[in-house]
Amino acid sequence: MTKKDQLIEYSIQDIIEYIVNDQHIEYDEAMRIFYNSQTFDKLSDVETGLYLESSAYVYGIFQDERNFGSLIQAEV
């Protein structure tokens, strides 16, 4: 496992924990929700560099995706 893979895996674990705690759902359900998200796809794609961000930051992106129905680009 490469260092990039480890960083991605650690972020995924943290984010799933956030989902479980915030939404009070089972771990398996949280995994299903996150693995089926666009955020997961972007996190897993090393070309995006999202794996370098904190788990809390990526979770914020995931929450926005859930609230708005898709990933949104923040205005700069």
Side-chain angles (χ1 to χ4, degrees):
M1 181 178 275
T2 68
K3 191 159 207 86
K4 290 177 184 177
D5 292 336
Q6 286 178 323
L7 290 172
I8 292 168
E9 187 59 35
Y10 294 150
S11 289
I12 291 169
Q13 290 174 6
D14 289 346
I15 293 164
I16 291 172
E17 285 294 325
Y18 292 147
I19 296 168
V20 167
N21 293 328
D22 288 352
Q23 298 183 16
H24 307 289
I25 60 176
E26 296 292 325
Y27 198 84
D28 290 348
E29 178 67 8
M31 286 175 50
R32 185 193 63 74
I33 291 169
F34 187 63
Y35 286 146
N36 288 309
S37 71
Q38 292 175 336
T39 306
F40 171 77
D41 292 340
K42 297 297 183 190
L43 178 61
S44 299
D45 181 358
V46 294
E47 295 296 318
T48 66
L50 192 57
Y51 71 96
L52 296 170
E53 301 292 344
S54 72
S55 299
Y57 178 82
V58 178
Y59 182 60
I61 293 172
F62 172 74
Q63 287 177 307
D64 288 345
E65 177 187 348
R66 296 279 289 175
N67 291 333
F68 296 106
S70 65
L71 288 178
I72 58 170
Q73 175 70 38
E75 292 186 34
V76 179

